[in-house]
Amino acid sequence: METMRALVKTVPGPGAESSITAIPRIGPLEVLIKVELNSICGTDLHIYEWDPWAARRVKPPLIFGHEFAGVVAECGAEVAAIQVGTHVTAETRIVCGRCDQCRNGLGHVCRDHKILGVDRDGAFAEYVAVPAANVWENDPSLPPELAAIQEPFGQAVHAVLAGEIAGQTVAIFGCGPAGLCAAAIAKATGAAAVFAIEVNYYRLGLARRMGADETLDPTAGSVSQQLASLTGGAGVDVVLEMSGHPDSIHAALTAVRNGGRVSLVGTQTRPVTLDLSEQVISKGVTIQGIAGRRMYGSWYQTRAILTSGRVNLTPLLTHRLPIAEFEQAMAIMASGQCGKILLEPWNHRQD
Amino acid sequence: METMRALVKTVPGPGAESSITAIPRIGPLEVLIKVELNSICGTDLHIYEWDPWAARRVKPPLIFGHEFAGVVAECGAEVAAIQVGTHVTAETRIVCGRCDQCRNGLGHVCRDHKILGVDRDGAFAEYVAVPAANVWENDPSLPPELAAIQEPFGQAVHAVLAGEIAGQTVAIFGCGPAGLCAAAIAKATGAAAVFAIEVNYYRLGLARRMGADETLDPTAGSVSQQLASLTGGAGVDVVLEMSGHPDSIHAALTAVRNGGRVSLVGTQTRPVTLDLSEQVISKGVTIQGIAGRRMYGSWYQTRAILTSGRVNLTPLLTHRLPIAEFEQAMAIMASGQCGKILLEPWNHRQD
Amino acid sequence: METMRALVKTVPGPGAESSITAIPRIGPLEVLIKVELNSICGTDLHIYEWDPWAARRVKPPLIFGHEFAGVVAECGAEVAAIQVGTHVTAETRIVCGRCDQCRNGLGHVCRDHKILGVDRDGAFAEYVAVPAANVWENDPSLPPELAAIQEPFGQAVHAVLAGEIAGQTVAIFGCGPAGLCAAAIAKATGAAAVFAIEVNYYRLGLARRMGADETLDPTAGSVSQQLASLTGGAGVDVVLEMSGHPDSIHAALTAVRNGGRVSLVGTQTRPVTLDLSEQVISKGVTIQGIAGRRMYGSWYQTRAILTSGRVNLTPLLTHRLPIAEFEQAMAIMASGQCGKILLEPWNHRQD
Amino acid sequence: METMRALVKTVPGPGAESSITAIPRIGPLEVLIKVELNSICGTDLHIYEWDPWAARRVKPPLIFGHEFAGVVAECGAEVAAIQVGTHVTAETRIVCGRCDQCRNGLGHVCRDHKILGVDRDGAFAEYVAVPAANVWENDPSLPPELAAIQEPFGQAVHAVLAGEIAGQTVAIFGCGPAGLCAAAIAKATGAAAVFAIEVNYYRLGLARRMGADETLDPTAGSVSQQLASLTGGAGVDVVLEMSGHPDSIHAALTAVRNGGRVSLVGTQTRPVTLDLSEQVISKGVTIQGIAGRRMYGSWYQTRAILTSGRVNLTPLLTHRLPIAEFEQAMAIMASGQCGKILLEPWNHRQD
């Protein structure tokens, strides 16, 4: 049995281990991918730190990680359309394909899905197995660091393009990697203006470099008043809530114009109390829960935007470390003083 | 100066007076309508009872009431397209016509609108003045009791048709007149099944007669479990929240399927605490605030549905009284043992 | 090797043979279905009569037929979600699953699809093999004659619901089975009025029984003038072109209101000459090509409408013959004096 | 009676006269605008040259011209929301406000509209009268040359944004001013790639400067083959037909991908013969007739795009002449060796 190195959550508690483990065996409809580059998601940090959500959801032992780029190493017996050697990444949501959602173009909210690196072994490893249906082929000329971050970029694409965007004013609450991607995407797809809201000044600086027209610190005065002023009293057309902070919801619902939309992406850390009559009904506001990526509409849009040259992700890619230094990488993630962190795999280092 | 009889909120407190007052004088872009039949809205009861919302919003003296049918009695100097003698009713929202919402097909959430019978004199009177732009012409063959209730029926149309409805399962929380109309509309426009939820058994009975396939009492067990069972575990495609009860929001968000929609119509009596991550984001749910009627898309749809013969509103029209007996009418409204209450005007009785 | 009876186009020319042939062997992702009832599509008649389209497209020998209901007899090795004994029918379009269309919710226009009974062996047989992804499970209580016609009914559903329908006036050109289904579907989903246009009086009679509010004979005067009159000069909101007759396109584009939609379903027998400036551009009309069924949105809608009790398909199902009498069945189809023709399979007769 | 200078089509035939005529008297709902800058539309050339369309439609004497920027000089008695001195331009379509289209957000295809400078006196004059509802207020900082061309730019906005555009490949047939604007708009709103098709090399050069990624000469080989090659065989997502050339329709329908859209803008000079089965139905294509601008959604989008700084219209504005030299301006228009031509009014020159 051939082995590989992987980052494994071995026990239900904080931390992870760099272990030697078996290379995954693939089923007839699966593909084995040699990982060439990883990036870290906030979810990975939750698993690493073993927060309450992770403790409820994750069953060790588990190889975690789900953002990656790689090359097809082996195809299952029934996989006809994918060739060994192809540059690929993967959609993280492994869906059932038969529920009402899957059969109606809503696979991203499949009632029976599993998430790579959360519910089954993931991509912080030399090899990862994924269903052929989840494989996304990349142009060989796409730089690996862009290939690796298509999955999180795609969720921001889903959020930004979940309604009209051309000519709209957009407020983005939260400038972590998702919010930073959203700022760039909104500008590239014709937003009239992008307002970025964040308490972390390092990230506010990144937001400006990613294309935000204005950056606002919510601790420096009422965000909704600032947004009203920036829009001549009209209110913001579109709010993207990517912070997960309950206060942002109130500011978002106050700031959005009558008939506008509020797209919720950031996982909320606690319940919020809303006055639906004032904040939603009388304003005719639409609130959207955004989960994952449209399968595979968001991926096509992601490809088009990344290859158009109209977004510059250089400011986003702030750190690049060997995966062996995962503890330091997780510490940087936890500090918030970063954009997206890339991890070079073991095999990459050894070659 | 010619006078008329009207129902006037003369002082800031409960009750109303049947007074003699001047017939309204119309501006060059307005129309004077002789009222032939009224119906009572929940808003009228709020004003009559002088609840906290009314105390904040209404400035006596005010003629209230806004649901009516009538005949054009006089047209302003600049009104070319409307003829005296035409059978009409009116859209209640008097909009500015120049804000971003008005100029983008969202007049129903105009930033500077006034509501007839709330912010300016209304229709519980022998005559009412409305802007020509708000006049809706009726076919003379439309029975006055249907003509009078087009405004509330139209809001239910707006709610039901604010997203896909053909082939969808629909749960309606709250079976007051709005919910009863929604049940009939959903059936007439191809809903797969309509589930009506209400504590008031009188109204549950009306719901069944209006077309609900199943009626559920939320005090008799978990509504969301019952709805899950009725949909084979799939969840409901569309929830229309027309009760205003905070508990309904939780049941609605639990009952709706992944990727489904929840349209909020009923004015919430108090704030609600929501777990947006579990209830909205991870399910990919859309929540819509529904205010008023699409101007005038909802009115066209209302006309088409009323004249198609595919809805039977007889069960809805439970009471018909002379407007002179308004105190009794308001008492019936307050009891909840009614559908829609029609009021015959003074002049109607005297002729 | 086990054998079965099937209707086979053995040579490139008119006619077909009732032959003994091998029961299909299924692949790991396929399902074998025992056929319980067939119905005949216009496409089957084209193949049977060997018209120019069939001569270009079909490669004998071929078992044709694609409308059917049956029971799962065997499942391939990798088919986990379907059980032997389940009542099923199938989507006819066997799609690649990997092209841009398939991955964007447009599988019905897959760039690399094959059609059951046209490009591979079909369902005029005791058994038919289909990919598991194409299997549609039926409630055992659904009558076989309704189960069998879901595929053609679904195309009519696709056409009717390809845009707004509630409250819209609808003109249907052509009252073959597709047009008849469309009339019933439009009524059940809230059309304001349905106008059916057809030269065949037998079918006009069926159209009225299926729910058409008005039936028009295009040889008895200008259809577009009649439609203008029926809509008070406004024009028709939605036109469904299901006749394939070039003259209908002109009448459709004249009859549709400014900003309306024209959905094209009927295969056109020859090119048409259009004045796009007058007929399409200045009127702001939208023309949609409708191919197949939304996969699988149209199937869900079909299920909901068939089980809602709001359509009565009895008038549509005019004939039912043993498949052994296929020559007579095809002659009835060719005569146009029929709605949908059902065929009982050999095995059904022998049991 | 005060007089002004205007460009008048005095007799039904080619040419125009620079005449002294009365300053328009405005009605109570109209506004008088002092013209500060004009631009020329293809329609103006049709009227000037007196082509068959103009001969059918235009009734001399008529002041023509409808693209302009100006300042409000006087307001009618019932005009409350507009101030004298405001920088404005105007929507050209003067709509009835009461037909089904006007009341359903489709004012641009109003059944009873008149066009400024075509059906009533227009803007090639020192002053022009327009209904207050048609006035569009400009930020005083907007350069007059951008203010003047918002009307034609807005039609291109309408065409580009009449469907999904972010991440889509776009082919534009015809690189007159409308096509040039569309190229810039498509890029600014996130098109994956823009392909411009045109026989005039001067205009192909402008297209590249306006943002087209590829420019194609249809006389140098099959356009649809070139487009297939540029999209890896997938076909183009969106085609904007802005040339009016019948051959373009065929190339457009061949080049568009299955399920794609074809938006028709260019007035077709003659009928075209289409094979709807092959070109539209089996491909599931949508064809849209695009007339005018969404009122006023296209105007809001136009404002947002022009002020975003993401389009550079400098290449478009190729000529600027005094209106007194209108004969030369029309000759340049007729030559096709131009983008948009600006005309400075008489009063502008005299100050």
Side-chain angles (χ1 to χ4, degrees), chain C residues 101 109 258 266 268 271-274 277 284-287 289, chain D residues 101 109 258 266 268 271-274 277 281 284-287 289:
Chain C
Q101 280 73 16
V109 284
N258 285 10
Q268 296 288 310
V272 292
T273 300
L274 302 176
S277 289
V285 165
T286 297
I287 298 174
Chain D
Q101 280 74 16
V109 284
N258 286 9
Q268 297 287 311
V272 291
T273 301
L274 301 176
S277 289
I281 299 173
V285 165
T286 297
I287 299 174

PDB file of all heavy atoms in Angstrom, chain C residues 101 109 258 266 268 271-274 277 284-287 289, chain D residues 101 109 258 266 268 271-274 277 281 284-287 289:
ATOM      1  N   GLN C 101     -23.462  23.590 -21.133  1.00  0.00           N
ATOM      2  CA  GLN C 101     -24.911  23.610 -20.927  1.00  0.00           C
ATOM      3  C   GLN C 101     -25.287  22.683 -19.762  1.00  0.00           C
ATOM      4  O   GLN C 101     -26.045  23.083 -18.868  1.00  0.00           O
ATOM      5  CB  GLN C 101     -25.633  23.175 -22.222  1.00  0.00           C
ATOM      6  CG  GLN C 101     -25.751  24.262 -23.277  1.00  0.00           C
ATOM      7  CD  GLN C 101     -24.432  24.586 -23.993  1.00  0.00           C
ATOM      8  OE1 GLN C 101     -23.462  23.829 -23.934  1.00  0.00           O
ATOM      9  NE2 GLN C 101     -24.395  25.719 -24.667  1.00  0.00           N
ATOM     10  N   VAL C 109     -30.435  21.446 -23.650  1.00  0.00           N
ATOM     11  CA  VAL C 109     -29.764  21.799 -24.910  1.00  0.00           C
ATOM     12  C   VAL C 109     -28.285  21.407 -24.851  1.00  0.00           C
ATOM     13  O   VAL C 109     -27.421  22.080 -25.434  1.00  0.00           O
ATOM     14  CB  VAL C 109     -29.944  23.292 -25.285  1.00  0.00           C
ATOM     15  CG1 VAL C 109     -31.344  23.539 -25.823  1.00  0.00           C
ATOM     16  CG2 VAL C 109     -29.662  24.218 -24.102  1.00  0.00           C
ATOM     17  N   ASN C 258     -46.871  44.419 -27.491  1.00  0.00           N
ATOM     18  CA  ASN C 258     -45.529  44.978 -27.305  1.00  0.00           C
ATOM     19  C   ASN C 258     -44.935  44.449 -25.995  1.00  0.00           C
ATOM     20  O   ASN C 258     -45.601  44.464 -24.951  1.00  0.00           O
ATOM     21  CB  ASN C 258     -45.602  46.511 -27.206  1.00  0.00           C
ATOM     22  CG  ASN C 258     -45.851  47.169 -28.543  1.00  0.00           C
ATOM     23  OD1 ASN C 258     -46.145  46.487 -29.525  1.00  0.00           O
ATOM     24  ND2 ASN C 258     -45.723  48.488 -28.578  1.00  0.00           N
ATOM     25  N   GLY C 266     -43.134  24.065 -32.076  1.00  0.00           N
ATOM     26  CA  GLY C 266     -43.390  23.198 -33.221  1.00  0.00           C
ATOM     27  C   GLY C 266     -42.275  23.236 -34.238  1.00  0.00           C
ATOM     28  O   GLY C 266     -41.863  24.319 -34.672  1.00  0.00           O
ATOM     29  N   GLN C 268     -40.556  23.582 -37.442  1.00  0.00           N
ATOM     30  CA  GLN C 268     -40.977  24.277 -38.654  1.00  0.00           C
ATOM     31  C   GLN C 268     -40.647  23.429 -39.871  1.00  0.00           C
ATOM     32  O   GLN C 268     -39.525  22.955 -40.026  1.00  0.00           O
ATOM     33  CB  GLN C 268     -40.242  25.615 -38.768  1.00  0.00           C
ATOM     34  CG  GLN C 268     -40.580  26.582 -37.647  1.00  0.00           C
ATOM     35  CD  GLN C 268     -41.971  27.151 -37.777  1.00  0.00           C
ATOM     36  OE1 GLN C 268     -42.332  27.622 -38.834  1.00  0.00           O
ATOM     37  NE2 GLN C 268     -42.764  27.071 -36.712  1.00  0.00           N
ATOM     38  N   PRO C 271     -38.298  27.235 -43.987  1.00  0.00           N
ATOM     39  CA  PRO C 271     -37.871  28.556 -43.510  1.00  0.00           C
ATOM     40  C   PRO C 271     -38.992  29.592 -43.638  1.00  0.00           C
ATOM     41  O   PRO C 271     -39.915  29.428 -44.447  1.00  0.00           O
ATOM     42  CB  PRO C 271     -36.700  28.903 -44.432  1.00  0.00           C
ATOM     43  CG  PRO C 271     -36.197  27.587 -44.921  1.00  0.00           C
ATOM     44  CD  PRO C 271     -37.428  26.730 -45.069  1.00  0.00           C
ATOM     45  N   VAL C 272     -38.884  30.631 -42.820  1.00  0.00           N
ATOM     46  CA  VAL C 272     -39.860  31.724 -42.882  1.00  0.00           C
ATOM     47  C   VAL C 272     -39.126  33.037 -43.070  1.00  0.00           C
ATOM     48  O   VAL C 272     -37.993  33.200 -42.615  1.00  0.00           O
ATOM     49  CB  VAL C 272     -40.713  31.825 -41.599  1.00  0.00           C
ATOM     50  CG1 VAL C 272     -41.627  30.624 -41.477  1.00  0.00           C
ATOM     51  CG2 VAL C 272     -39.847  31.979 -40.370  1.00  0.00           C
ATOM     52  N   THR C 273     -39.793  33.966 -43.721  1.00  0.00           N
ATOM     53  CA  THR C 273     -39.204  35.282 -43.967  1.00  0.00           C
ATOM     54  C   THR C 273     -39.860  36.291 -43.031  1.00  0.00           C
ATOM     55  O   THR C 273     -41.085  36.457 -43.049  1.00  0.00           O
ATOM     56  CB  THR C 273     -39.418  35.686 -45.440  1.00  0.00           C
ATOM     57  OG1 THR C 273     -38.786  34.694 -46.255  1.00  0.00           O
ATOM     58  CG2 THR C 273     -38.784  37.047 -45.720  1.00  0.00           C
ATOM     59  N   LEU C 274     -39.040  36.929 -42.214  1.00  0.00           N
ATOM     60  CA  LEU C 274     -39.546  37.830 -41.181  1.00  0.00           C
ATOM     61  C   LEU C 274     -39.035  39.250 -41.380  1.00  0.00           C
ATOM     62  O   LEU C 274     -37.898  39.450 -41.813  1.00  0.00           O
ATOM     63  CB  LEU C 274     -39.096  37.336 -39.791  1.00  0.00           C
ATOM     64  CG  LEU C 274     -39.529  35.927 -39.401  1.00  0.00           C
ATOM     65  CD1 LEU C 274     -38.928  35.555 -38.053  1.00  0.00           C
ATOM     66  CD2 LEU C 274     -41.048  35.837 -39.356  1.00  0.00           C
ATOM     67  N   SER C 277     -37.511  44.154 -37.955  1.00  0.00           N
ATOM     68  CA  SER C 277     -37.665  45.516 -37.428  1.00  0.00           C
ATOM     69  C   SER C 277     -39.085  45.776 -36.966  1.00  0.00           C
ATOM     70  O   SER C 277     -39.315  46.259 -35.858  1.00  0.00           O
ATOM     71  CB  SER C 277     -37.276  46.548 -38.488  1.00  0.00           C
ATOM     72  OG  SER C 277     -35.886  46.528 -38.689  1.00  0.00           O
ATOM     73  N   GLY C 284     -40.330  45.186 -29.159  1.00  0.00           N
ATOM     74  CA  GLY C 284     -39.654  44.695 -27.954  1.00  0.00           C
ATOM     75  C   GLY C 284     -40.089  43.291 -27.577  1.00  0.00           C
ATOM     76  O   GLY C 284     -40.212  42.947 -26.395  1.00  0.00           O
ATOM     77  N   VAL C 285     -40.294  42.462 -28.599  1.00  0.00           N
ATOM     78  CA  VAL C 285     -40.771  41.092 -28.373  1.00  0.00           C
ATOM     79  C   VAL C 285     -39.606  40.155 -28.053  1.00  0.00           C
ATOM     80  O   VAL C 285     -38.497  40.353 -28.533  1.00  0.00           O
ATOM     81  CB  VAL C 285     -41.527  40.599 -29.632  1.00  0.00           C
ATOM     82  CG1 VAL C 285     -41.736  39.097 -29.619  1.00  0.00           C
ATOM     83  CG2 VAL C 285     -42.856  41.331 -29.753  1.00  0.00           C
ATOM     84  N   THR C 286     -39.874  39.139 -27.238  1.00  0.00           N
ATOM     85  CA  THR C 286     -38.906  38.079 -26.978  1.00  0.00           C
ATOM     86  C   THR C 286     -39.387  36.788 -27.627  1.00  0.00           C
ATOM     87  O   THR C 286     -40.537  36.392 -27.444  1.00  0.00           O
ATOM     88  CB  THR C 286     -38.742  37.856 -25.459  1.00  0.00           C
ATOM     89  OG1 THR C 286     -38.218  39.048 -24.886  1.00  0.00           O
ATOM     90  CG2 THR C 286     -37.798  36.704 -25.166  1.00  0.00           C
ATOM     91  N   ILE C 287     -38.487  36.152 -28.394  1.00  0.00           N
ATOM     92  CA  ILE C 287     -38.779  34.864 -29.026  1.00  0.00           C
ATOM     93  C   ILE C 287     -37.905  33.813 -28.358  1.00  0.00           C
ATOM     94  O   ILE C 287     -36.693  33.999 -28.235  1.00  0.00           O
ATOM     95  CB  ILE C 287     -38.460  34.906 -30.537  1.00  0.00           C
ATOM     96  CG1 ILE C 287     -39.327  35.955 -31.245  1.00  0.00           C
ATOM     97  CG2 ILE C 287     -38.632  33.537 -31.168  1.00  0.00           C
ATOM     98  CD1 ILE C 287     -38.971  36.153 -32.709  1.00  0.00           C
ATOM     99  N   GLY C 289     -36.738  29.754 -28.325  1.00  0.00           N
ATOM    100  CA  GLY C 289     -36.762  28.390 -28.836  1.00  0.00           C
ATOM    101  C   GLY C 289     -36.883  27.429 -27.666  1.00  0.00           C
ATOM    102  O   GLY C 289     -36.116  27.518 -26.708  1.00  0.00           O
TER     103      GLY C 289
ATOM    104  N   GLN D 101     -48.479  48.613 -21.137  1.00  0.00           N
ATOM    105  CA  GLN D 101     -47.018  48.616 -21.107  1.00  0.00           C
ATOM    106  C   GLN D 101     -46.509  49.666 -20.122  1.00  0.00           C
ATOM    107  O   GLN D 101     -45.644  49.373 -19.289  1.00  0.00           O
ATOM    108  CB  GLN D 101     -46.466  48.889 -22.519  1.00  0.00           C
ATOM    109  CG  GLN D 101     -46.442  47.681 -23.450  1.00  0.00           C
ATOM    110  CD  GLN D 101     -47.819  47.286 -23.968  1.00  0.00           C
ATOM    111  OE1 GLN D 101     -48.779  48.056 -23.884  1.00  0.00           O
ATOM    112  NE2 GLN D 101     -47.957  46.084 -24.497  1.00  0.00           N
ATOM    113  N   VAL D 109     -41.864  50.399 -24.702  1.00  0.00           N
ATOM    114  CA  VAL D 109     -42.668  49.907 -25.824  1.00  0.00           C
ATOM    115  C   VAL D 109     -44.137  50.305 -25.646  1.00  0.00           C
ATOM    116  O   VAL D 109     -45.057  49.573 -26.032  1.00  0.00           O
ATOM    117  CB  VAL D 109     -42.514  48.377 -26.040  1.00  0.00           C
ATOM    118  CG1 VAL D 109     -41.170  48.078 -26.704  1.00  0.00           C
ATOM    119  CG2 VAL D 109     -42.664  47.603 -24.733  1.00  0.00           C
ATOM    120  N   ASN D 258     -25.824  27.040 -27.706  1.00  0.00           N
ATOM    121  CA  ASN D 258     -27.125  26.496 -27.291  1.00  0.00           C
ATOM    122  C   ASN D 258     -27.555  27.186 -25.995  1.00  0.00           C
ATOM    123  O   ASN D 258     -26.781  27.282 -25.048  1.00  0.00           O
ATOM    124  CB  ASN D 258     -27.020  24.988 -27.024  1.00  0.00           C
ATOM    125  CG  ASN D 258     -26.918  24.172 -28.288  1.00  0.00           C
ATOM    126  OD1 ASN D 258     -26.754  24.720 -29.371  1.00  0.00           O
ATOM    127  ND2 ASN D 258     -27.023  22.857 -28.156  1.00  0.00           N
ATOM    128  N   GLY D 266     -30.187  46.721 -34.169  1.00  0.00           N
ATOM    129  CA  GLY D 266     -30.066  47.447 -35.435  1.00  0.00           C
ATOM    130  C   GLY D 266     -31.301  47.283 -36.309  1.00  0.00           C
ATOM    131  O   GLY D 266     -31.747  46.157 -36.547  1.00  0.00           O
ATOM    132  N   GLN D 268     -33.366  46.559 -39.213  1.00  0.00           N
ATOM    133  CA  GLN D 268     -33.087  45.728 -40.384  1.00  0.00           C
ATOM    134  C   GLN D 268     -33.570  46.435 -41.646  1.00  0.00           C
ATOM    135  O   GLN D 268     -34.717  46.888 -41.712  1.00  0.00           O
ATOM    136  CB  GLN D 268     -33.815  44.389 -40.242  1.00  0.00           C
ATOM    137  CG  GLN D 268     -33.336  43.573 -39.056  1.00  0.00           C
ATOM    138  CD  GLN D 268     -31.972  42.977 -39.300  1.00  0.00           C
ATOM    139  OE1 GLN D 268     -31.735  42.379 -40.344  1.00  0.00           O
ATOM    140  NE2 GLN D 268     -31.068  43.170 -38.357  1.00  0.00           N
ATOM    141  N   PRO D 271     -36.351  42.202 -44.989  1.00  0.00           N
ATOM    142  CA  PRO D 271     -36.710  40.959 -44.307  1.00  0.00           C
ATOM    143  C   PRO D 271     -35.600  39.916 -44.444  1.00  0.00           C
ATOM    144  O   PRO D 271     -34.790  39.960 -45.374  1.00  0.00           O
ATOM    145  CB  PRO D 271     -37.984  40.516 -45.031  1.00  0.00           C
ATOM    146  CG  PRO D 271     -38.550  41.770 -45.606  1.00  0.00           C
ATOM    147  CD  PRO D 271     -37.359  42.586 -45.997  1.00  0.00           C
ATOM    148  N   VAL D 272     -35.595  38.960 -43.509  1.00  0.00           N
ATOM    149  CA  VAL D 272     -34.624  37.869 -43.559  1.00  0.00           C
ATOM    150  C   VAL D 272     -35.368  36.545 -43.500  1.00  0.00           C
ATOM    151  O   VAL D 272     -36.442  36.440 -42.905  1.00  0.00           O
ATOM    152  CB  VAL D 272     -33.628  37.917 -42.381  1.00  0.00           C
ATOM    153  CG1 VAL D 272     -32.711  39.109 -42.512  1.00  0.00           C
ATOM    154  CG2 VAL D 272     -34.349  37.903 -41.050  1.00  0.00           C
ATOM    155  N   THR D 273     -34.785  35.541 -44.121  1.00  0.00           N
ATOM    156  CA  THR D 273     -35.382  34.206 -44.130  1.00  0.00           C
ATOM    157  C   THR D 273     -34.608  33.316 -43.174  1.00  0.00           C
ATOM    158  O   THR D 273     -33.399  33.154 -43.301  1.00  0.00           O
ATOM    159  CB  THR D 273     -35.342  33.633 -45.559  1.00  0.00           C
ATOM    160  OG1 THR D 273     -36.057  34.522 -46.415  1.00  0.00           O
ATOM    161  CG2 THR D 273     -35.999  32.255 -45.601  1.00  0.00           C
ATOM    162  N   LEU D 274     -35.333  32.776 -42.192  1.00  0.00           N
ATOM    163  CA  LEU D 274     -34.698  32.005 -41.123  1.00  0.00           C
ATOM    164  C   LEU D 274     -35.224  30.576 -41.088  1.00  0.00           C
ATOM    165  O   LEU D 274     -36.400  30.333 -41.349  1.00  0.00           O
ATOM    166  CB  LEU D 274     -34.984  32.660 -39.765  1.00  0.00           C
ATOM    167  CG  LEU D 274     -34.519  34.110 -39.590  1.00  0.00           C
ATOM    168  CD1 LEU D 274     -34.953  34.632 -38.232  1.00  0.00           C
ATOM    169  CD2 LEU D 274     -33.001  34.200 -39.733  1.00  0.00           C
ATOM    170  N   SER D 277     -36.314  26.115 -36.939  1.00  0.00           N
ATOM    171  CA  SER D 277     -36.089  24.819 -36.285  1.00  0.00           C
ATOM    172  C   SER D 277     -34.625  24.616 -35.966  1.00  0.00           C
ATOM    173  O   SER D 277     -34.258  24.264 -34.837  1.00  0.00           O
ATOM    174  CB  SER D 277     -36.596  23.676 -37.161  1.00  0.00           C
ATOM    175  OG  SER D 277     -37.997  23.683 -37.199  1.00  0.00           O
ATOM    176  N   ILE D 281     -35.065  26.842 -32.409  1.00  0.00           N
ATOM    177  CA  ILE D 281     -35.770  25.896 -31.533  1.00  0.00           C
ATOM    178  C   ILE D 281     -34.826  24.839 -30.988  1.00  0.00           C
ATOM    179  O   ILE D 281     -34.716  24.660 -29.772  1.00  0.00           O
ATOM    180  CB  ILE D 281     -36.961  25.260 -32.271  1.00  0.00           C
ATOM    181  CG1 ILE D 281     -37.964  26.341 -32.688  1.00  0.00           C
ATOM    182  CG2 ILE D 281     -37.644  24.212 -31.389  1.00  0.00           C
ATOM    183  CD1 ILE D 281     -39.096  25.852 -33.573  1.00  0.00           C
ATOM    184  N   GLY D 284     -32.486  26.107 -28.486  1.00  0.00           N
ATOM    185  CA  GLY D 284     -33.012  26.740 -27.272  1.00  0.00           C
ATOM    186  C   GLY D 284     -32.557  28.177 -27.122  1.00  0.00           C
ATOM    187  O   GLY D 284     -32.297  28.664 -26.021  1.00  0.00           O
ATOM    188  N   VAL D 285     -32.482  28.882 -28.247  1.00  0.00           N
ATOM    189  CA  VAL D 285     -31.984  30.267 -28.243  1.00  0.00           C
ATOM    190  C   VAL D 285     -33.112  31.245 -27.909  1.00  0.00           C
ATOM    191  O   VAL D 285     -34.277  30.996 -28.232  1.00  0.00           O
ATOM    192  CB  VAL D 285     -31.391  30.596 -29.632  1.00  0.00           C
ATOM    193  CG1 VAL D 285     -31.195  32.094 -29.829  1.00  0.00           C
ATOM    194  CG2 VAL D 285     -30.073  29.849 -29.825  1.00  0.00           C
ATOM    195  N   THR D 286     -32.762  32.340 -27.261  1.00  0.00           N
ATOM    196  CA  THR D 286     -33.693  33.438 -27.013  1.00  0.00           C
ATOM    197  C   THR D 286     -33.303  34.639 -27.864  1.00  0.00           C
ATOM    198  O   THR D 286     -32.141  35.038 -27.873  1.00  0.00           O
ATOM    199  CB  THR D 286     -33.679  33.836 -25.523  1.00  0.00           C
ATOM    200  OG1 THR D 286     -34.121  32.722 -24.755  1.00  0.00           O
ATOM    201  CG2 THR D 286     -34.601  35.023 -25.261  1.00  0.00           C
ATOM    202  N   ILE D 287     -34.283  35.175 -28.581  1.00  0.00           N
ATOM    203  CA  ILE D 287     -34.085  36.379 -29.391  1.00  0.00           C
ATOM    204  C   ILE D 287     -34.880  37.513 -28.764  1.00  0.00           C
ATOM    205  O   ILE D 287     -36.062  37.346 -28.477  1.00  0.00           O
ATOM    206  CB  ILE D 287     -34.578  36.153 -30.838  1.00  0.00           C
ATOM    207  CG1 ILE D 287     -33.789  35.031 -31.507  1.00  0.00           C
ATOM    208  CG2 ILE D 287     -34.482  37.445 -31.658  1.00  0.00           C
ATOM    209  CD1 ILE D 287     -34.316  34.662 -32.894  1.00  0.00           C
ATOM    210  N   GLY D 289     -36.067  41.549 -29.075  1.00  0.00           N
ATOM    211  CA  GLY D 289     -36.114  42.845 -29.742  1.00  0.00           C
ATOM    212  C   GLY D 289     -35.851  43.931 -28.714  1.00  0.00           C
ATOM    213  O   GLY D 289     -36.519  43.973 -27.685  1.00  0.00           O
TER     214      GLY D 289
END
